[in-house]
Amino acid sequence: MQHLRRFQPGDEAGISRVCLLTARFGGDATGMISDDRLWGDVFALPYPARDPGLTFVVDDGDRNVVGYVLGTDDTSAFEAWFRDVWWPPLAPSAEGKDRVEAGLIGFANSLGIEPLPFLAEYPAHVHIDLLPAAQGGGWGRRLMERYVDELRARAVPGVHLGASSDNTNAVAFYRHLGWTELAVPDDPGTAFFGLRLA
């Protein structure tokens, strides 16, 4: 039976798999770039590595991860750690890579160099992904509520997230949860949302 639980060591492979299978506008990105692991290395695994207390998963009942929510309570500090500690030993060369893979590597290489303009109000950020087996049962809402509860316990004033504007299901989900769309100049491909927690 599916259930929500805290991250446990050993969940990393399952988290990386969910990230890969949802990385293409909510769908499977397998084979889209030369190294499938890159999606998880950039968008998922750094978070439990740095702060496992902010990672929660949906377990299918057999210790398989079929969904997760993860993030950080301090985006600026996380991005500095990502650039200085996490990414250097993993970073591949973008030379010879196609546009998508080179863009992903470039994103990771420059993470946080130009901070988002709303970090003072919304310093935390979050990522959430669910496989089809975990969709439609309220797990998305429960994961977000559990994550927000943890941030409130840490006295974090606000949280933000970014989603591809092409991922219409995700954008509709965040609006349904009552998150406010945030205007960010010069980033038309990403929809940013914020939630005040104070």
Side-chain angles (χ1 to χ4, degrees), residues 14-33 35-37 39-40 68 100 129-133 135 167 169:
I15 287 172
S16 189
R17 176 176 173 270
V18 171
C19 185
L20 170 65
L21 295 178
T22 57
R24 190 172 191 171
F25 311 125
D28 188 357
T30 300
M32 193 173 169
I33 59 177
D35 185 355
D36 287 340
R37 293 176 301 177
W39 298 107
Y68 60 71
V100 173
D129 289 301
L130 294 162
L131 296 183
Q135 294 173 6
N167 191 343
N169 288 337

Side-chain angles (χ1 to χ4, degrees), residues 10-196:
D11 287 336
E12 292 87 352
I15 287 172
S16 189
R17 176 176 173 270
V18 171
C19 185
L20 170 65
L21 295 178
T22 57
R24 190 172 191 171
F25 311 125
D28 188 357
T30 300
M32 193 173 169
I33 59 177
S34 68
D35 185 355
D36 287 340
R37 293 176 301 177
L38 193 57
W39 298 107
D41 286 348
V42 173
F43 293 115
L45 296 179
Y47 296 95
R50 184 172 184 269
D51 187 349
L54 278 176
T55 298
F56 302 90
V57 304
V58 179
D59 185 314
D60 70 354
D62 292 316
R63 286 204 32 92
N64 298 307
V65 176
V66 292
Y68 60 71
V69 65
L70 42 78
T72 179
D73 57 6
D74 184 334
T75 296
S76 296
F78 170 82
E79 290 175 342
W81 171 85
F82 182 97
R83 287 192 313 270
D84 297 341
V85 178
W86 174 263
W87 188 236
L90 299 173
S93 169
E95 187 176 343
K97 302 296 195 300
D98 69 14
R99 181 184 59 81
V100 173
E101 191 162 0
L104 181 57
I105 294 166
F107 168 83
N109 287 342
S110 62
L111 190 66
I113 290 175
E114 293 185 23
L116 292 166
F118 46 71
L119 291 185
E121 292 176 275
Y122 305 97
H125 76 257
V126 61
H127 295 275
I128 180 170
D129 289 301
L130 294 162
L131 296 183
Q135 294 173 6
W139 290 116
R141 177 181 289 274
R142 278 175 269 184
L143 283 168
M144 289 296 259
E145 287 173 349
R146 184 67 189 87
Y147 186 84
V148 166
D149 286 346
E150 184 67 30
L151 291 179
R152 284 195 173 109
R154 299 181 181 202
V156 177
V159 56
H160 74 273
L161 58 83
S164 169
S165 301
D166 294 326
N167 191 343
T168 54
N169 288 337
V171 169
F173 172 67
Y174 304 133
R175 288 177 176 150
H176 179 70
L177 291 184
W179 289 54
T180 301
E181 195 155 0
L182 305 173
V184 178
D186 303 323
D187 200 345
T190 303
F192 287 94
F193 292 86
L195 183 69
R196 295 182 187 275

